[in-house]
Amino acid sequence: MSRYSPAEIEAKWQSAWEESGIFKAQRDAARPKYYVLEMFPYPSGRIHMGHVRNYTMGDVIARYKALTGHNVLHPMGWDAFGMPAENAAMATGGHPKEWTYNNIAEMRAQMKPLGLSIDWSREFATCDPEYYGQQQALFLDMLDAGLVDRKNAVVNWDPVDMTVLANEQVIDGKGWRSGAEVERRELTQWFFKISSMAGDLLESLGDLDNWPAKVRLMQENWIGQSRGLQFSFDMVQDGFDPVTVYTTRPDTLMGASFVGISPDHPLARKLAAERPEIADFRQLCQKGGTTAEELETAEKLGFDTGLTVRHPLDPDWELPVWIANFILMDYGTGAIFGCPAHDQRDLDFCRKYDLPVVATFMPDDCEIAPDSMSDADFANDCIAKVKDESGTHRYFRIAKTAYVPPKDQKVKWINHFAGLKEATGQEAIDTTITFAEEKGWGEGKTQYRLRDWGLSRQRYWGCPIPVVHCSDCGVVPERKENLPVELPDDVSFDIPGNPLDRHPTWRDVPCPSCGKPAKRETDTMDTFVDSSWYYARFTSPHADTPTSAKDADYWMNVDQYIGGIEHAILHLLYSRFFARAMQITGHLPEKSREPFDALFTQGMVTHEIYQTRDDKGRPVYHLPEDVTDGKLADGTEVEIIPSAKMSKSKKNVVDPVNIISAYGADTARWFVLSDSPPERDVEWTAAGAEAAHKFLVRVWRMARDLADQRDAGVGELDKSLQDLMDSMQLGQNPLDDELLRTTHKAIDEVTKSIESFGFNAAIARIYTFVNTINKSQASARVKWTSMRVLAQLMSPMVPHLAEEIWAILGGEALLAKTAWPTPDDAMIQDNTVTLPIQINGKRRAEISVPTEMGKEDVEKRVLEVDAVKKALEGTAPKKIIVVPGRIVNVVI
RNA sequence: GCGGGCGUGAUGGAAUGGUAGACAUACCAGACUUAAAAUCUGUUGGGCCUUGUGCCCGUGUGGGUUCGAGUCCCACCGCCCGCACCA
């Protein structure tokens, strides 16, 4: 072969690896195991550059770990349930199953040419009955263990598609597909009791040292722990229960001006049953969008029930009870007390409904308003009314906005029931909780934002929930011997709604308990369930239980998990919950409570966007391959919009399949690793890809040239770096010594970079190494060995080219089976070191000294340097700082 | 609003508090060529002159700590991300 031909060599080595079976993982107690996992893909049918980057990073780790003596598990599968398959079936009339399995076949065919070191024998799709059957078994065990719940929940209901929609599927209050007005409906749904583990999920974040701090923080915020006080207001009117509220700022209790309850609060429901105007108000609150922005900008609505409650600390003080749309039923107790002086939201509400504003403490710069002023004078200001010792009201101007009490700053209290005069917010909160607990009218409580995980979906293409509804026995779990509850194939999608609902022969079954006619649950599981335990299933993908103990014990945990930051919260939190649940139900060992020892979140692949405008000024996008030098084929100039995530709609996509056929997989792999740190976005540029390719060609040619020299009779060559070191004498040929040192240093630095996920740094180091070998005048023998080390160092990133070079340079076995080279400490250490000399912190000269030279000797040498003498002008320096091996600073 | 992160050449980006700009792209120049492409070699932060082993400036802005700051601290400006009626 006289030309680098990726198509040829990549196919060749891929089949060599396959024949040797080296990527097949088997338990081996003699070697340390290493489980590397990339987040498995949804089978959309096409791989994209993001996949290439994600899987290449995992492959670098997997291959590197294998070369360093680990028994590596590196599996791949498909997150195959979900709506796109059903949408495709509705659009084109096919079947979700067929669509999904076709896509999997296509994607696998696109992925295999990347040469990933994956154990394909473990491949599965979550829509395989073998997989979801075990998921059903797991569900039943969780049900048994009390980790599953069935309760009512308010959902977004699309009345046309007859299904529940996720919040992000509701656009402007309408279903994203049907365009129908979305209703909020209360349905009985299945839930995983994830909130029961909130405290543990939060605390254990502290142990995840090898997770990005950002992800841990996001999870922490999501779980949302808060400490506060729960207590009740007694109702003045007869026949009503006390209203229990939760507050994180009990210290502001004397600033209360109303009690608010959620429209879904039991009291609101009770009142609505009797009073139609309250029923109307509740309905008004249920309308309106559910998206984040709509909720944010929604106007605060309140309804005065006319009822009043007593302040717990002052029986004469009565507060009105309002129903307010901004109070959530599923946080805290669904009821609050409003403290407008110290909470912006409450202030907005009180302004709108003309409720009093009472301050409990003041910032230092607060002014006392003249007594003659009235509320009206402060229409646009936040004012606070305070009862002083004599019982008269005075007004204080506090600020334009509510004065939110700082937790860590001391403030002056105007009126605190536990007698505080000056304290920080936190001290006041703690004091208040203790005070309330001592007096017996309240209780300190820890609250979480995290809610239970609703898993019911009114969908066909998902894992059936394995229970049966019997009119006599109620909800009955399916018997395990009847699993899997398989999805029926004979369904159609021409009518809206869940086909399972209208499939009598599937739906109507005898009750597993009493045998009478009953109905299957027709909801299927959220697809997040499928991805919450697949990592455990990979350890024994064909076991007839969810996992097998031996395999799970050996392979768990995932040593390195790699995926996108977009899964920082839900997928990872759900997986952490499942690992705990699987441990409770005996499917995972104790050590797997946290399933992912290390997590790495990689950045996206981005590309410039090329845009022109049509005659109406609307943007028209162009594919990168249609643009040359900023122009289309017909010469039209395109506007270049800076890099953004590759997306089909913006046409800034580069298809990996095209890149592989043009340059080969190694070029694609090399480029996605080379240009940016792995955690950051990498911009795909045609020039960059071209350059990566040129570099690989150059390395290939260097190996080829060396091989030609051997053929021309250079002589015997060494098998390994060690052999070379053992048989040659250092100090005979300085050029040889130098190249050898460089080789050892390259090994050292590339190893460190790979270990720390610095793939771009490893590649930069390899560039330098190649340039050095290229220019070196060392003997062919040493160059030969350096080149073979180079192949080893490059092999995790560009495995095919590395194997090829290895073979060209006389490698007998597969490079993938060799041991990673180790640097020799003595060779990394230099005998002399160049010390920059600073004068008053500015670099002025440099000297070369023996590495081990003492500080005093270095100082002496420094004082002899011309530049230093000149600067000193005969005087003595104030100070000389010598940082051994680093720098010298002369202070004058 | 709350929380977090980031600002370095024309560009992507390097720099355990110790020579700022590694490595790559792009550009320019040279070699090879009838020519181009490819390949190889070299230059490239800005400014100044006395062209040196020279000097001054330079990591968003302004301060501070330090012998020494891209790095640490404070304030500000800009950008990005996450969360958000959470009581």
Side-chain angles (χ1 to χ4, degrees):
Chain A
M1 207 193 306
S2 58
R3 219 165 47 84
Y4 171 53
S5 167
E8 242 169 274
I9 66 174
E10 288 178 3
K12 178 172 76 182
W13 293 111
Q14 280 164 24
S15 47
W17 295 325
E18 192 164 340
E19 274 162 38
S20 71
I22 40 170
F23 304 139
K24 201 155 181 171
Q26 276 164 323
R27 290 200 312 265
D28 175 0
R31 281 187 296 162
K33 67 91 189 182
Y34 197 90
Y35 183 2
V36 55
L37 181 68
E38 301 104 44
M39 291 179 184
F40 67 165
Y42 180 79
S44 62
R46 303 293 297 176
I47 62 166
H48 52 70
M49 275 301 167
H51 292 125
V52 174
R53 192 171 191 218
N54 187 193
Y55 305 140
T56 301
M57 285 178 193
D59 203 43
V60 171
I61 299 292
R63 285 178 179 271
Y64 168 75
K65 287 292 175 183
L67 294 176
T68 50
H70 296 80
N71 187 23
V72 170
L73 172 59
H74 186 205
M76 182 58 68
W78 310 94
D79 188 13
F81 272 136
M83 298 208 333
E86 279 187 49
N87 295 336
M90 283 181 235
T92 63
H95 192 283
K97 185 174 176 177
E98 205 184 315
W99 184 86
T100 303
Y101 281 104
N102 284 342
N103 279 355
I104 288 173
E106 268 180 54
M107 263 177 101
R108 189 195 302 112
Q110 292 165 23
M111 216 186 263
K112 286 223 168 172
L114 284 170
L116 304 167
S117 62
I118 284 168
D119 178 358
W120 286 100
S121 73
R122 289 175 187 256
E123 175 189 359
F124 61 74
T126 55
C127 63
D128 297 342
E130 197 189 7
Y131 181 81
Y132 72 74
Q134 294 307 327
Q135 184 163 307
Q136 291 168 340
L138 197 52
F139 178 87
L140 293 179
D141 288 345
M142 287 169 71
L143 188 61
D144 207 37
L147 294 165
V148 182
D149 204 5
R150 212 168 109 82
K151 59 187 178 188
N152 290 341
V154 178
V155 295
N156 304 309
W157 180 259
D158 184 323
V160 170
D161 275 355
M162 302 222 292
T163 188
V164 165
L165 298 177
N167 278 344
E168 53 276 15
Q169 292 161 354
V170 181
I171 298 150
D172 291 333
K174 300 192 170 68
W176 69 283
R177 243 182 66 81
S178 68
E181 191 94 7
V182 169
E183 299 166 12
R184 278 159 53 89
R185 226 190 231 202
E186 191 166 283
L187 292 180
T188 309
Q189 305 262 291
W190 287 95
F191 288 85
F192 285 122
K193 291 202 214 168
I194 191 171
S195 65
S196 70
M197 292 191 191
D200 182 37
L201 288 168
L202 179 69
E203 255 172 60
S204 306
L205 285 173
D207 302 331
L208 298 176
D209 298 330
N210 294 315
W211 280 41
K214 182 186 168 74
V215 173
R216 288 184 310 196
L217 188 74
M218 281 164 75
Q219 292 218 355
E220 194 182 313
N221 292 337
W222 186 262
I223 294 168
Q225 189 183 59
S226 65
R227 176 81 185 154
L229 184 74
Q230 188 167 310
F231 65 97
S232 298
F233 288 93
D234 288 331
M235 198 69 80
V236 173
Q237 290 76 13
D238 289 334
F240 294 96
D241 293 332
V243 179
T244 303
V245 301
Y246 172 76
T247 175
T248 55
R249 293 308 300 235
D251 53 322
T252 65
L253 184 50
M254 296 310 279
S257 58
F258 68 98
V259 164
I261 61 172
S262 163
D264 295 317
H265 193 276
L267 177 59
R269 286 161 186 265
K270 180 178 165 170
L271 294 172
E274 297 156 7
R275 293 160 59 182
E277 70 275 21
I278 291 185
D280 290 348
F281 179 74
R282 286 192 63 217
Q283 222 165 20
L284 181 68
C285 293
Q286 285 186 357
K287 270 206 314 194
T290 47
T291 62
E293 291 133 294
E294 280 168 319
L295 284 173
E296 186 184 347
T297 53
E299 198 186 349
K300 289 178 180 36
L301 297 175
F303 189 96
D304 186 357
T305 61
L307 298 170
T308 49
V309 291
R310 286 185 213 291
H311 196 283
L313 297 171
D314 181 357
D316 298 334
W317 186 352
E318 291 184 11
L319 298 164
V321 177
W322 286 67
I323 302 171
N325 65 341
F326 59 85
I327 302 170
L328 309 173
M329 191 56 225
D330 45 9
Y331 188 79
T333 60
I336 61 157
F337 74 79
C339 179
H342 308 305
D343 182 296
Q344 188 61 44
R345 186 199 54 200
D346 293 345
L347 180 64
D348 294 344
F349 188 78
C350 288
R351 283 250 180 81
K352 178 164 178 184
Y353 293 107
D354 201 22
L355 289 158
V357 178
V358 182
T360 63
F361 55 82
M362 308 180 297
D364 282 342
D365 57 354
C366 134
E367 309 168 29
I368 298 175
D371 288 346
S372 61
M373 287 193 130
S374 69
D375 290 4
D377 291 325
F378 295 103
N380 295 312
D381 252 3
C382 172
I383 52 154
K385 196 186 233 177
V386 172
K387 212 199 280 191
D388 65 16
E389 279 100 42
S390 66
T392 53
H393 281 103
R394 300 184 64 192
Y395 295 93
F396 292 85
R397 182 203 299 264
I398 31 188
K400 290 262 179 199
T401 52
Y403 179 57
V404 179
K407 278 193 177 177
D408 54 355
Q409 214 177 304
K410 280 197 189 291
V411 290
K412 276 188 225 148
W413 293 82
I414 301 164
N415 186 354
H416 191 269
F417 42 89
L420 287 176
K421 291 289 176 226
E422 216 181 297
T424 67
Q426 193 57 55
E427 286 162 0
I429 291 166
D430 295 342
T431 309
T432 310
I433 292 174
T434 312
F435 178 82
E437 283 179 340
E438 273 168 13
K439 301 276 178 188
W441 55 267
E443 179 188 5
K445 228 178 162 178
T446 301
Q447 198 69 239
Y448 298 95
R449 206 184 73 101
L450 180 68
R451 303 187 205 155
D452 280 339
W453 169 14
L455 66 113
S456 300
R457 297 290 182 271
Q458 292 67 39
R459 288 270 160 206
Y460 165 79
W461 195 233
C463 172
I465 296 172
V467 298
V468 172
H469 299 277
C470 170
S471 51
D472 286 0
C473 313
V475 177
V476 185
E478 184 55 87
R479 290 164 185 272
K480 276 206 180 161
E481 60 265 33
N482 293 338
L483 299 184
V485 175
E486 266 195 68
L487 289 168
D489 285 340
D490 54 335
V491 288
S492 66
F493 295 88
D494 40 7
I495 351 175
N498 182 352
L500 296 176
D501 244 355
R502 46 172 198 264
H503 193 296
T505 58
W506 185 83
R507 191 189 60 199
D508 299 337
V509 288
C511 167
S513 171
C514 68
K516 279 195 211 153
K519 282 190 188 333
R520 267 193 204 295
E521 170 69 69
T522 57
D523 282 355
T524 52
M525 297 186 201
D526 179 5
T527 55
F528 271 116
V529 180
D530 312 334
S531 54
S532 291
W533 71 287
Y534 77 110
Y535 51 87
R537 184 68 182 169
F538 272 137
T539 63
S540 49
H542 306 297
D544 53 13
T545 45
T547 59
S548 85
K550 268 190 183 168
D551 287 307
D553 285 353
Y554 180 79
W555 289 115
M556 286 300 283
N557 299 334
V558 176
D559 292 277
Q560 183 66 60
Y561 195 33
I562 307 171
I565 188 79
E566 65 272 22
H567 294 112
I569 296 175
L570 296 182
H571 163 62
L572 289 167
L573 192 63
Y574 292 159
S575 293
R576 296 176 65 217
F577 165 72
F578 252 72
R580 284 164 171 74
M582 289 179 78
Q583 189 209 311
I584 291 167
T585 52
H587 296 298
L588 278 180
E590 165 66 26
K591 67 174 179 182
S592 302
R593 227 166 53 100
E594 286 296 343
F596 309 124
D597 283 351
L599 172 71
F600 189 87
T601 51
Q602 95 278 359
M604 297 180 302
V605 181
T606 62
H607 198 285
E608 290 177 330
I609 297 170
Y610 304 117
Q611 176 187 294
T612 54
R613 295 193 178 268
D614 67 8
D615 45 14
K616 297 205 174 80
R618 288 171 304 207
V620 177
Y621 300 107
H622 303 277
L623 288 166
E625 54 261 43
D626 298 336
V627 179
T628 326
D629 293 330
K631 288 194 180 97
L632 295 176
D634 63 7
T636 317
E637 292 236 6
V638 296
E639 192 183 335
I640 296 173
I641 299 170
S643 259
K645 182 182 183 170
M646 286 190 178
S647 91
K648 277 183 200 152
S649 62
K650 298 276 163 66
K651 288 198 177 174
N652 61 336
V653 287
V654 173
D655 190 332
V657 173
N658 295 343
I659 297 299
I660 292 171
S661 61
Y663 298 113
D666 281 339
T667 294
R669 294 172 58 121
W670 188 255
F671 181 70
V672 292
L673 295 172
S674 67
D675 243 27
S676 290
E679 68 276 11
R680 257 192 256 176
D681 292 350
V682 64
E683 183 179 352
W684 185 277
T685 60
E690 183 69 35
H693 187 65
K694 279 183 196 170
F695 175 74
L696 298 184
V697 171
R698 192 150 72 99
V699 173
W700 179 85
R701 207 166 29 225
M702 280 166 64
R704 200 60 263 176
D705 289 349
L706 275 175
D708 290 345
Q709 282 178 43
R710 176 193 56 179
D711 294 343
V714 168
E716 254 327 279
L717 293 153
D718 304 276
K719 293 273 176 257
S720 70
L721 179 60
Q722 197 53 53
D723 285 350
L724 175 68
M725 298 286 290
D726 290 346
S727 63
M728 77 179 270
Q729 199 88 50
L730 284 177
Q732 298 208 324
N733 177 349
L735 294 170
D736 280 0
D737 291 2
E738 202 185 309
L739 183 55
L740 266 176
R741 281 184 193 283
T742 307
T743 302
H744 280 280
K745 282 184 194 162
I747 296 170
D748 183 49
E749 287 171 33
V750 171
T751 304
K752 283 179 181 155
S753 294
I754 292 179
E755 294 261 2
S756 62
F757 263 86
F759 303 133
N760 59 327
I763 284 179
R765 191 62 189 78
I766 287 171
Y767 271 106
T768 325
F769 186 31
V770 166
N771 290 340
T772 310
I773 299 176
N774 209 17
K775 280 180 200 161
S776 169
Q777 298 297 309
S779 65
R781 184 183 175 194
V782 173
K783 279 186 121 173
W784 177 274
T785 300
S786 297
M787 200 65 200
R788 283 167 51 111
V789 169
L790 173 70
Q792 288 180 295
L793 296 182
M794 288 175 76
S795 68
M797 296 90 159
V798 285
H800 312 90
L801 174 63
E803 286 283 4
E804 183 69 14
I805 294 173
W806 189 251
I808 291 175
L809 299 182
E812 278 152 9
L814 283 175
L815 168 53
K817 282 184 175 172
T818 62
W820 187 255
T822 42
D824 184 330
D825 283 344
M827 297 296 283
I828 300 175
Q829 288 299 325
D830 283 315
N831 297 330
T832 58
V833 62
T834 303
L835 287 184
I837 297 172
Q838 294 182 331
I839 294 169
N840 288 340
K842 289 192 197 300
R843 200 192 75 93
R844 284 293 181 259
E846 58 184 35
I847 52 170
S848 187
V849 299
T851 311
E852 67 283 358
M853 185 183 255
K855 279 191 183 188
E856 289 80 15
D857 294 327
V858 172
E859 278 183 29
K860 265 182 223 161
R861 285 281 312 276
V862 166
L863 291 173
E864 285 159 16
V865 172
D866 285 345
V868 176
K869 281 190 197 159
K870 207 173 129 193
L872 283 172
E873 292 171 327
T875 61
K878 270 192 198 145
K879 203 175 187 181
I880 300 180
I881 292 139
V882 180
V883 185
R886 285 308 226 170
I887 205 162
V888 179
N889 192 7
V890 181
V891 186
I892 296 168

